[in-house]
Amino acid sequence: MGLFIPHIYNGEAISLSSVPVVQVKPFRLAVIAHVAAGDLISAMFAQPLGDGFRLYAVLCAPLREQLGIIATDVADSYPALTPDCPAANGFEREIFEQWGIRPEGHPWLKPIRFQPSRMTGQTPAVGITEFFSMEGGESHEVAVGPVHAGVIEPGHFRFLCHGETVFHLEISLGYQHRGIERALAGGPGGRTIHYMETLAGDTTVGHAAAYCAVMEALSGIQVPPVANSIRAIAAELERMANHIGDLGALAGDVGFLPTLNYCGRIRGDVLNLTAMLCGNRFGRTLLTPGGVRFGIDPDRRQRLLTRLDAVEKDLDTALSLMFSAPSVLARLERTGTLSMDLARQIGLVGVAARACGLSHDVRTGLPYGAYRFDSPPASTFHSGDCFARAYVRKLEVEQSIAFIRRQLNAPSAQNELRKPLLPLGPDRVTVALTEGWRGDICHVAATDHEGRFAFYKVVDPSFHNWLGLAFALRGQQISDFPLCNKSFNLSYCGHDL
Amino acid sequence: MLRVLRARLQQKHRTMGFPSGPAPEMPDRFAGRPVIQEPCPGDCRVCRDTCPVQAIRRGEDGRVELDMGRCLFCGACSEACPKGMIAFGPDYQLASARRGDMVVSPGPGTRAEAVSELARKFFSRSLKLRQVSAGGCNACEADVNVLGTPAWDMGRFGIQFVASPRHADGLLVTGPVTGNMLLALEKTYAAVPEPRIVIACGACAISGGPFADHPEAKNGVDSVLPVDLFIPGCPPHPLTALDGLLRFLGRPVPDCKKVI
Ligand code: SF4
């Protein structure tokens, strides 16, 4: 399988100089071969180095429970990977947009988030780019956004249609770009944890957990077990709240109002459980590098368990209603279908990938924190359609409830919540993956000679998955867009950063 | 059909009594209105230097002032204060019609006025809002959306989110206003018929929040549009938002008496 890429563990820090730097050709071949063999590109990015740039690729090998990191030095161009490895598409567009490095032979270097160039500071006018177009009788385009009809983030969608049938969907994002990655370099500082908690606000815990893992790796400390358990409980509550909200919204999109209304409320009940942990419904302020800021006293433990029972009971009727209604199933089944093969090729992650039958889940494949001792089994389904994406969510919610119960029922005798952080080691690099409710969250950070962040790279699961939504729409009715969109429910702010 | 009815019975009626009945119970660790004590030693700057978003300063008279419009309610200042002078209480009534009224000084503190004469006159029984996300993290949107669920049911008060700005009485804006959303926000505002109002929801929309002073974004909505109501929080608790909206419209709400 081409060049061997040395592995590191999830959340392990190594010295920056031990990252193998190879020629461009073996770099390309290694990445392409590994991805062809089933690896995911967790991150691929450039950093300025001397007169040129260093290109890094972080690969995740789910089946071997390993991460790999490899680098190459380039001037202002290199032969693109995308033609041989479509999963590199988004990354190469980003590298071009940020640094002006041209991946030669890339099919179409469209702007990805219309962000200021890191070299010149120039910002391209948002949304102004070339799109696919279609000509012929009855062919037409429908453009929507950036401001959409609901209470939802901004993005621009362009449907290329023939009659009612969508031939292709163009997705143009960047409206939420607020410069987080740029601001992270040189840190950590007072705002760093807040950037992490607001990368994607509905994934506060998922991203904060990855950040904490980065900090703990770079400072070489171990988190107390209680803190790991509380982090995992919060992460599963986050997964539950979002999945339940999505299931309700899917029911709403097919006109099945009982489940829409019940799930809307139950989602709120779950957010309130998170607020019981830390006062904030999204888990803000709970995680801190070194541990957690709030513990679970016996009384709180009992109240959490009682309310979890109530949530489970309410959810059971709400969901069994939905999943037994033929009118719902008829709309979900065979709508927005992706094949397992395509999912692999474009590097889909998380719920969307597991709904295509792929079993990758960071909690089981590369376990971290409390998941090292108790990882919920990866929930999969094979049909790749809206039904599968709904059903996998249902399975995951059930697993999350069981997991939280196990954690709460096994209180630890220790009660240390956090360890003091030590200064970050200089010239080190680390990769931390967590399983956010949408899928793989990847943070890659390196320190300079002084132990400040030389760079801090964030890859939200949505970055991998937006293209999946575009493909899911092909050959569908345009009226199925809301349903397909909701079945992915991707993050704009997590993509745009 | 029978299953649907049985489920309906089991799920019960869950719309809260608020505002005629009691407010829903808030979590005991909830961080609401800050309560600042006195006196602070003259040269202490610990809270000011700790705050990640420069929400704290010492006023001309030397008293500590905390701007809820900037605050993320992270508690870092109260953790850092060597004398325990700053705490975050259970008071959720944080919304204010004037930007300056969100600055909290030492002492018991009074609730800021949120009522808008315009809103009370034209929209008190029907307020249709177009929501615009202009940066931010989507948490404000998520918890504003909650107000439409059966438990909160803001439709009871005639408050509703609508799909088109042309059907709206005003905008509810979240996020610091990124450069990439500026034009879209301005165009959406222009499409709302007059008289119209603007609500800035969350720390980002009020002051830029964690992204304050980023060149990629503005420092909040009022640098672009006139704002009629500010709802602090990161994100604001739904109760803070609903209470603020009701007071904005001049509708009665219970007074949150709990002050620590
Ligand atoms: S709680 Fe508010 S004032 Fe205090 S440090 Fe955090 S952001 Fe600053």
Side-chain angles (χ1 to χ4, degrees):
Chain A
M1 67 148 43
L3 188 94
F4 171 72
I5 300 183
H7 72 257
I8 59 173
Y9 290 97
N10 187 6
E12 179 189 0
I14 57 173
S15 98
L16 201 48
S17 59
S18 63
V19 174
V21 182
V22 299
Q23 299 288 320
V24 174
K25 200 169 166 202
F27 174 86
R28 267 190 96 244
L29 291 177
V31 174
I32 292 167
H34 274 262
V35 171
D39 283 16
L40 289 159
I41 304 180
S42 291
M44 193 174 133
F45 55 96
Q47 280 303 311
L49 186 80
D51 291 338
F53 300 90
R54 180 157 289 177
L55 219 57
Y56 292 89
V58 176
L59 298 175
C60 162
L63 300 178
R64 284 175 284 121
E65 309 197 348
Q66 286 170 2
L67 291 165
I69 182 164
I70 187 169
T72 188
D73 289 339
V74 300
D76 54 1
S77 72
Y78 69 95
L81 278 74
T82 304
D84 300 304
C85 173
N89 174 40
F91 295 107
E92 294 199 313
R93 283 167 61 194
E94 183 190 54
I95 289 168
F96 179 64
E97 177 169 276
Q98 289 182 335
W99 304 104
I101 308 166
R102 181 171 291 278
E104 299 286 356
H106 187 286
W108 202 351
L109 288 167
K110 283 193 271 196
I112 194 149
R113 41 175 97 91
F114 300 89
Q115 68 185 93
S117 156
R118 297 286 291 273
M119 298 302 285
T120 65
Q122 300 272 314
T123 312
V126 66
I128 310 291
T129 179
E130 288 180 350
F131 294 99
F132 275 110
S133 65
M134 207 167 91
E135 280 169 24
E138 285 192 37
S139 79
H140 60 106
E141 291 184 7
V142 179
V144 292
V147 178
H148 297 180
V151 181
I152 175 175
E153 296 183 83
H156 180 71
F157 298 122
R158 219 173 256 216
F159 301 88
L160 309 179
C161 306
H162 180 260
E164 291 287 299
T165 308
V166 179
F167 276 66
H168 183 62
L169 164 63
E170 286 270 29
I171 301 172
S172 183
L173 303 176
Y175 296 90
Q176 300 280 63
H177 179 65
R178 50 215 186 283
I180 298 184
E181 239 178 51
R182 177 198 50 72
L184 285 170
R191 284 196 196 179
T192 308
I193 182 74
H194 302 288
Y195 288 136
M196 297 300 160
E197 290 182 339
T198 56
L199 286 165
D202 52 27
T203 315
T204 295
V205 177
H207 275 291
Y211 166 63
C212 290
V214 160
M215 293 290 282
E216 287 143 13
L218 292 173
S219 95
I221 60 164
Q222 304 300 324
V223 178
V226 182
N228 271 331
S229 168
I230 293 174
R231 284 179 184 179
I233 291 170
E236 295 311 313
L237 287 172
E238 184 168 272
R239 192 178 323 279
M240 283 175 66
N242 284 294
H243 281 358
I244 293 168
D246 285 350
L247 286 164
L250 281 167
D253 275 337
V254 301
F256 194 70
L257 300 186
T259 301
L260 167 70
N261 284 308
Y262 302 149
C263 282
R265 194 203 76 240
I266 300 166
R267 170 178 171 277
D269 293 344
V270 179
L271 294 177
N272 286 339
L273 295 184
T274 303
M276 210 191 254
L277 294 178
C278 67
N280 183 289
R281 288 157 53 91
F282 295 84
R284 301 274 155 93
T285 74
L286 177 58
L287 276 68
T288 187
V292 291
R293 289 175 58 193
F294 298 94
I296 304 180
D297 44 85
D299 171 56
R300 200 171 300 268
R301 187 175 299 277
Q302 207 41 58
R303 279 187 292 146
L304 281 166
L305 281 166
T306 312
R307 282 169 65 173
L308 195 63
D309 289 345
V311 163
E312 186 179 37
K313 199 156 151 260
D314 285 350
L315 198 62
D316 185 45
T317 44
L319 293 188
S320 58
L321 212 54
M322 170 178 175
F323 282 96
S324 63
S327 63
V328 174
L329 299 179
R331 290 282 283 111
L332 295 178
E333 283 169 0
R334 285 177 293 282
T335 304
T337 307
L338 294 178
S339 69
M340 185 195 269
D341 214 34
L342 186 81
R344 249 201 216 111
Q345 269 190 47
I346 60 177
L348 232 51
V349 297
V351 171
R354 289 191 287 276
C356 295
L358 298 173
S359 62
H360 170 57
D361 182 319
V362 183
R363 294 171 298 171
T364 49
L366 302 121
Y368 53 98
Y371 301 120
R372 281 175 297 170
F373 311 104
D374 179 358
S375 46
S379 304
T380 60
F381 200 70
H382 57 273
S383 57
D385 50 6
C386 288
F387 172 80
R389 289 185 286 276
Y391 190 63
V392 166
R393 283 182 169 89
K394 174 178 181 288
L395 296 177
E396 292 194 359
V397 168
E398 289 162 2
Q399 291 297 338
S400 294
I401 294 176
F403 175 88
I404 296 171
R405 230 183 240 133
R406 288 197 296 275
Q407 293 291 318
L408 288 172
N409 280 327
S412 159
Q414 304 154 356
N415 48 20
E416 188 188 18
L417 292 178
R418 64 206 251 197
K419 283 249 166 49
L421 208 63
L422 304 173
L424 305 191
D427 299 312
R428 296 184 78 71
V429 62
T430 184
V431 181
L433 252 66
T434 61
E435 183 73 28
W437 64 274
R438 287 190 184 89
D440 294 41
I441 291 171
C442 176
H443 289 203
V444 190
T447 47
D448 61 15
H449 301 318
E450 268 96 56
R452 318 289 306 172
F453 291 145
F455 62 80
Y456 197 110
K457 183 76 205 159
V458 174
V459 185
D460 185 85
S462 301
F463 190 84
H464 301 277
N465 283 5
W466 274 108
L467 192 61
L469 172 62
F471 275 103
L473 250 286
R474 287 197 172 176
Q476 298 296 301
Q477 300 282 295
I478 188 169
S479 51
D480 278 334
F481 174 69
L483 187 59
C484 291
N485 186 30
K486 193 42 94 175
S487 75
F488 283 85
N489 193 11
L490 301 176
S491 172
Y492 302 70
C493 54
H495 174 276
D496 293 347
L497 302 176
Chain B
M1 192 61 209
L2 270 180
R3 289 180 70 119
V4 174
L5 290 175
R6 212 175 318 124
R8 178 71 194 79
L9 277 179
Q10 195 233 318
Q11 301 275 350
K12 302 194 198 79
H13 173 84
R14 308 270 187 113
T15 305
M16 63 184 61
F18 178 87
S20 42
E25 198 193 329
M26 295 294 268
D28 60 338
R29 287 169 173 171
F30 172 71
R33 172 186 292 280
V35 181
I36 309 169
Q37 290 172 44
E38 288 192 293
C40 290
D43 52 353
C44 180
R45 297 278 183 278
V46 172
C47 58
R48 193 197 69 171
D49 295 345
T50 303
C51 178
V53 288
Q54 292 79 47
I56 302 181
R57 60 169 191 197
R58 294 198 66 161
E60 276 163 18
D61 51 2
R63 301 175 87 198
V64 171
E65 293 177 341
L66 193 160
D67 181 358
M68 290 196 294
R70 284 176 167 264
C71 182
L72 307 175
F73 297 84
C74 72
C77 51
S78 80
E79 213 171 79
C81 178
K83 294 183 161 278
M85 300 295 239
I86 303 183
F88 287 81
D91 182 353
Y92 58 82
Q93 295 190 295
L94 311 179
S96 161
R98 276 185 301 270
R99 179 70 183 85
D101 287 358
M102 278 179 288
V103 178
V104 174
S105 302
T110 48
R111 191 179 85 185
E113 281 296 343
V115 68
S116 144
E117 271 319 305
L118 178 82
R120 198 167 62 103
K121 200 159 145 216
F122 289 100
F123 308 129
S124 72
R125 292 157 80 79
S126 167
L127 177 66
K128 307 294 168 203
L129 293 169
R130 172 61 258 198
Q131 196 272 330
V132 181
S133 298
C137 76
N138 199 29
C140 286
E141 289 86 332
D143 251 357
V144 158
N145 249 334
V146 159
L147 297 178
T149 61
W152 297 86
D153 191 16
M154 67 178 175
R156 290 180 288 162
F157 315 105
I159 310 173
Q160 199 192 344
F161 287 105
V162 293
S164 167
R166 300 205 189 279
H167 303 162
D169 303 311
L171 303 181
L172 184 141
V173 187
T174 53
V177 187
T178 52
N180 284 352
M181 266 308 282
L182 180 57
L183 181 63
L185 174 62
E186 286 171 342
K187 283 191 174 180
T188 309
Y189 180 69
V192 179
E194 293 184 64
R196 58 194 168 190
I197 52 96
V198 175
I199 299 169
C201 181
C204 289
I206 300 174
S207 64
F211 317 114
D213 300 325
H214 277 209
E216 294 86 351
K218 301 264 174 199
N219 282 350
V221 184
D222 69 356
S223 53
V224 187
L225 303 175
V227 175
D228 301 279
L229 180 69
F230 300 88
I231 307 177
C234 187
H237 192 279
L239 186 56
T240 299
L242 183 58
D243 166 83
L245 286 169
L246 293 174
R247 289 195 290 126
F248 179 60
L249 299 174
R251 300 178 64 126
V253 293
D255 205 348
C256 170
K257 286 270 175 358
K258 293 193 222 157
V259 175
I260 51 171

